[in-house]
Amino acid sequence: MNTPIRIAINGYGNLGRGVELALAKAPDLALAGIFTRRDPRGLKPETAGAKVFAASELDARRDDIDVLILCGGSKDDLPEQGPALAARFNTVDSFDTHARIPEYFAAVNRAARDGGHSALISCGWDPGLFSLNRVYGEALLPDGDTYTFWGRGVSQGHSEAVHRIPGVAAAVQYTVPSEAAVTAARSGTRPQLTTRDRHTRECFVVLKAGAEPEAVRRAIVTMPHYFDEYDTTVHYISMAEFERDHQAMPHGGFVIRTGATSDTHKQLVEYRIQLDSNPEFTGSVLVAYARAVHRLHAGGHTGALTVLDVPPGLLSPKSADELRRTML
Amino acid sequence: MNTPIRIAINGYGNLGRGVELALAKAPDLALAGIFTRRDPRGLKPETAGAKVFAASELDARRDDIDVLILCGGSKDDLPEQGPALAARFNTVDSFDTHARIPEYFAAVNRAARDGGHSALISCGWDPGLFSLNRVYGEALLPDGDTYTFWGRGVSQGHSEAVHRIPGVAAAVQYTVPSEAAVTAARSGTRPQLTTRDRHTRECFVVLKAGAEPEAVRRAIVTMPHYFDEYDTTVHYISMAEFERDHQAMPHGGFVIRTGATSDTHKQLVEYRIQLDSNPEFTGSVLVAYARAVHRLHAGGHTGALTVLDVPPGLLSPKSADELRRTML
C-alpha cells in the first residue's frame, strides 16, 4: 500500500459527517483533520482518533493536507470559501446552485490557477452523478429526451421554508416523483411533462399552540417558487411523531434518457439511486472524487473542473491495469 | 459549426449498420466511407450518399479519415485488425472477449503508440457502459456488492451454438435475468447469487425434417459453458414463426450496486438499459466515443485507452462551457 492520500474536511454538519464516514471505508485515504468554525472541543466526530481543529488553523496545516473537502452550504459559505480555499488547497465541493455554476466555476478557476491547485466544483449526485448521466444519455442518444426525477426524499430547502411560516414548530418536506410521469418518461413516447406533472410535494408539519391549520396549509401550498407550481399535501403531526418518524434523510431519483436510433428502434437508458442517507451518499461521492483530484493534480492539472472532466477510472483505488483486468 | 469530424466504418454487418445510423444523428460528425472485404458494389448502405470502398483502399484514403470504427468480430477479426489498424488510424472498437482484454490492450497500445495514434478498445455497453457503472458503483460504495444482469435479449454466440447442433435449421437464444435475483440484488441484503440463480436461457428452435426433438433439447441444455450451468427452456417453432417473431435484436440489462455507508444506512445505485436494437445502440456508443477519441488525439494523446480513461464531457458535441451552463 502506498502512502495514504490525506483528506481534510472543512465544515462539520451532516455532509461533513458523511465525508468522515466515507473516508473510514477507503483504505487508501486518511482523514487529515476536521476543521470547524465552532469550538473544536465541542465536536464529537464519528470515528475514533479523528482530529478536530479550528478553521483558523487551516493554513498552518497546509503541508498535512492533499485535498480539502468543503462541506459548507452553497448559499452563504461556498461562494466565499470556494475561491479563497482553492487558492491554497486542492479542493472538492458540492456547490449546487445550478444557475450560478458558471460564475462560481470562473471564480474558483482563477483562484486555483493562480495558486497552482486543482478544484472540483459541484460534486455530489445532482449536480454530480445525475449530471454525468444527463451528458452520457444525450451523447449516446442525441435524438431523444432526458427526464430527471428527484425523490422520494427530504428537501432541506423546502423543509426550512415551511418551518419559517408563523405557527410552524417543526416541518419536513418530501419531494415525490409522480409514478405516472416516471412511467410515461420510460415509455419512449417522449411526453412533454410539466413541473406539476413530474413531482408532488408532501409536508409533515408540527403546529405551535394556537396556530390555525387551514391558514398554515394555505401559506404552504401557495408559496411562490417553492410550492405554488406543485400539488402539495400537508399532514399535521405531533412533535413526538416528528421526532420518531422524520429524522432520517432518505433521498433518491432517476435520470431517464429515451431516444430513437432509427425510424423503428427506441432505446432507454436509466440511472437510479435510492438512498437511506442523502448526506452519507453525497459524502461518499465527494470522497471518491477527492481521490481523482489528487491524482489529476499529481499529473500536472491546475484550475477548476467538474465531474464531466474526470476520467472514471481515477475514482477507483485500483490501477488502470487492474481495472482493465477485473472490471471492464 | 466547425468542420465535421470524419468517421469511417470498417466492416458492414449489423454493427457497421448501427454505426452508420448513429452518424446520421450527429451533425458534428460526417461519414467518410464504409470499407468492406466484400464487393463494395454489393453493399446497400442505410443512408443516401454513403460511399462504399474496398477494405484494400483504406490506406489510400487515410487523409480523409479522422477516426476509423472497427466493426469486425472479437473472435477472428479484431485480434488481427485492432493492432494493425491502430498503427495507421485513430480507432474505436468493441472487442468484448473479457478474459483477453489485457493482452489485446497491450498489442493495440504498442501499435497505436508506434504509429502516433489513439485507439479506444472494448467500447459498447458491456464491456463499455456497464464497465463504467461497475467502476463508478464500486468507487462510490466501496463496502458493497455489484450485480450485472443481461437481458432479456438475444445472445448471438448462444444462438449460433444451438444452430450448429445437428438437426437444427434455425435458432435464437434469449438470455433472461431472473426477476427474483434482480429483486434480491436491489434489496441491499447482499445475496450470494450463483450463475443459475441470475439468468435463465430460452431457445426458439426450428428443426430440420426428421430431427428428434428430445435429442436436440438434450444436446442444448447439457452443452458445456453455454447452457449446462443454466436453467434452459427450449421451444420448437416453425420457420415462418422464426422469421416473423425472432428477427429483432432486443437486449438490455442492469448494473446494480448496493453498499453500506455506515452501520445503519444502505444505498442503491442502478444503471439499466432496454434496447429495441442492440447493434444500433452499440453503434451509437461507438460513435460518441469516436468523437472523444478525436478530441483526445487532437490534444496530444497517443496509445490505447478504454472508456474508463475518457472524461465524460468529451462524448458530447457541446463545449465544456455549454455543458456546465446547461447540463450540470
Side-chain angles (χ1 to χ4, degrees):
Chain A
M1 177 67 75
N2 299 322
T3 317
I5 305 170
R6 299 161 306 166
I7 312 284
I9 297 169
N10 190 49
Y12 197 69
N14 288 324
L15 180 57
R17 207 172 286 271
V19 168
E20 184 192 6
L21 289 167
L23 287 170
K25 302 277 190 193
D28 63 324
L29 309 179
L31 175 59
I34 298 166
F35 293 82
T36 178
R37 286 177 297 198
R38 290 177 275 167
D39 182 345
R41 291 166 302 182
L43 249 63
K44 293 210 175 65
E46 295 281 336
T47 48
K51 292 183 203 142
V52 183
F53 304 103
S56 57
E57 292 185 72
L58 260 173
D59 280 311
R61 302 200 164 266
R62 270 172 74 163
D63 293 345
D64 301 331
I65 298 170
D66 294 315
V67 183
L68 180 64
I69 300 183
L70 313 188
C71 299
S74 295
K75 192 151 170 283
D76 299 318
D77 301 326
L78 293 176
E80 188 198 316
Q81 289 175 2
L85 292 169
R88 290 131 64 198
F89 297 90
N90 295 323
T91 61
V92 174
D93 73 49
S94 63
F95 184 80
D96 67 358
T97 312
H98 288 260
R100 300 190 60 187
I101 285 174
E103 66 183 285
Y104 183 68
F105 182 90
V108 172
N109 192 40
R110 262 192 310 275
R113 285 235 166 117
D114 289 351
H117 293 290
S118 295
L120 181 82
I121 70 154
S122 298
C123 186
W125 58 270
D126 196 357
L129 304 178
F130 277 20
S131 320
L132 283 179
N133 280 281
R134 286 188 286 263
V135 170
Y136 278 124
E138 186 181 278
L140 298 171
L141 297 171
D143 181 11
D145 289 295
T146 302
Y147 303 88
T148 301
F149 294 93
W150 300 272
R152 187 175 190 263
V154 173
S155 162
Q156 280 199 295
H158 288 79
S159 299
E160 284 159 20
V162 174
H163 195 182
R164 282 193 298 267
I165 293 173
V168 172
V172 62
Q173 193 265 193
Y174 297 90
T175 305
V176 185
S178 148
E179 253 184 67
V182 173
T183 302
R186 284 181 182 144
S187 70
T189 57
R190 304 180 62 169
Q192 297 297 313
L193 300 169
T194 65
T195 299
R196 194 177 293 272
D197 290 336
R198 289 175 189 235
H199 297 89
T200 56
R201 299 195 177 278
E202 206 174 349
C203 302
F204 292 82
V205 176
V206 183
L207 290 176
K208 288 182 182 162
E212 212 282 281
E214 183 48 28
V216 170
R217 198 195 64 80
R218 211 172 316 117
I220 295 172
V221 304
T222 61
M223 195 187 297
H225 308 304
Y226 284 84
F227 292 98
D228 61 342
E229 289 185 77
Y230 297 86
D231 291 331
T232 302
T233 316
V234 178
H235 307 278
Y236 292 109
I237 57 174
S238 67
M239 189 58 94
E241 287 170 311
F242 180 81
E243 284 172 354
R244 186 191 65 204
D245 301 336
H246 298 282
Q247 298 309 301
M249 280 171 283
H251 221 309
F254 311 79
V255 177
I256 294 171
R257 178 78 182 180
T258 59
T261 49
S262 64
D263 293 345
T264 45
H265 292 130
K266 291 184 298 195
Q267 321 276 8
L268 166 71
V269 177
E270 177 171 327
Y271 185 76
R272 178 168 87 87
I273 63 174
Q274 188 181 310
L275 311 177
D276 280 358
S277 164
N278 183 1
E280 287 182 16
F281 184 73
T282 303
S284 297
V285 180
L286 297 182
V287 163
Y289 276 94
R291 177 186 289 121
V293 163
H294 176 71
R295 290 167 164 182
L296 285 165
H297 186 252
H301 177 273
T302 62
L305 67 169
T306 76
V307 295
L308 302 176
D309 304 309
V310 178
L314 294 185
L315 300 184
S316 170
K318 295 178 176 167
S319 71
D321 264 350
E322 190 179 357
L323 289 176
R324 283 193 296 271
R325 206 172 59 241
T326 62
M327 305 283 284
L328 206 63
Chain B
M1 178 68 74
N2 298 323
T3 317
I5 305 170
R6 300 162 305 167
I7 311 285
I9 297 169
N10 191 50
Y12 197 68
N14 289 324
L15 180 56
R17 208 173 285 272
V19 168
E20 184 192 6
L21 290 167
L23 287 170
K25 302 275 190 194
D28 62 324
L29 309 179
L31 175 59
I34 298 166
F35 293 82
T36 178
R37 285 177 299 197
R38 292 178 275 165
D39 181 346
R41 291 166 301 183
L43 247 64
K44 294 209 175 65
E46 296 282 334
T47 47
K51 292 183 202 143
V52 184
F53 304 103
S56 57
E57 291 184 73
L58 261 174
D59 279 313
R61 301 198 165 267
R62 272 172 71 163
D63 293 345
D64 302 330
I65 298 170
D66 293 315
V67 183
L68 180 64
I69 300 184
L70 313 187
C71 298
S74 295
K75 193 151 169 283
D76 299 319
D77 300 327
L78 293 176
E80 189 197 317
Q81 289 175 2
L85 292 170
R88 290 133 63 199
F89 296 90
N90 295 323
T91 62
V92 174
D93 74 48
S94 63
F95 184 80
D96 67 357
T97 312
H98 288 261
R100 301 191 60 187
I101 285 174
E103 66 183 286
Y104 183 70
F105 182 90
V108 172
N109 192 39
R110 262 192 310 274
R113 287 235 166 117
D114 289 352
H117 292 291
S118 295
L120 181 82
I121 71 155
S122 299
C123 187
W125 57 271
D126 196 356
L129 305 178
F130 276 21
S131 320
L132 283 180
N133 280 281
R134 286 188 285 264
V135 170
Y136 278 124
E138 186 180 278
L140 298 172
L141 298 171
D143 181 11
D145 290 295
T146 301
Y147 303 87
T148 302
F149 294 93
W150 300 274
R152 189 176 190 260
V154 173
S155 163
Q156 280 199 294
H158 287 79
S159 299
E160 284 159 20
V162 174
H163 195 184
R164 283 194 297 268
I165 294 173
V168 171
V172 61
Q173 192 265 193
Y174 297 90
T175 305
V176 185
S178 149
E179 253 183 68
V182 173
T183 302
R186 284 181 183 145
S187 71
T189 57
R190 305 180 62 168
Q192 297 297 312
L193 300 168
T194 65
T195 300
R196 194 177 293 271
D197 291 335
R198 289 175 189 235
H199 297 90
T200 58
R201 299 195 177 278
E202 206 173 349
C203 302
F204 292 83
V205 177
V206 183
L207 290 176
K208 289 182 182 164
E212 213 282 283
E214 183 48 28
V216 170
R217 197 195 65 79
R218 212 171 317 115
I220 295 171
V221 304
T222 60
M223 194 186 297
H225 308 306
Y226 284 84
F227 292 99
D228 62 342
E229 289 185 78
Y230 297 86
D231 290 332
T232 302
T233 316
V234 179
H235 307 280
Y236 291 109
I237 58 174
S238 69
M239 189 57 94
E241 287 171 310
F242 180 80
E243 284 172 354
R244 187 191 65 204
D245 300 337
H246 298 283
Q247 297 309 299
M249 280 170 284
H251 220 310
F254 311 77
V255 177
I256 294 170
R257 178 77 182 180
T258 58
T261 49
S262 63
D263 292 345
T264 44
H265 292 130
K266 291 184 298 195
Q267 322 276 8
L268 166 71
V269 177
E270 178 172 325
Y271 185 76
R272 177 168 87 87
I273 63 174
Q274 188 181 309
L275 310 177
D276 280 358
S277 163
N278 183 2
E280 287 182 16
F281 184 73
T282 303
S284 298
V285 180
L286 297 182
V287 163
Y289 276 95
R291 177 185 290 122
V293 164
H294 175 71
R295 290 167 165 182
L296 286 165
H297 186 253
H301 178 273
T302 62
L305 66 169
T306 77
V307 296
L308 302 176
D309 304 309
V310 177
L314 294 184
L315 300 185
S316 170
K318 295 178 177 168
S319 71
D321 264 351
E322 191 179 356
L323 289 176
R324 282 193 296 271
R325 205 173 59 240
T326 62
M327 307 282 285
L328 204 63

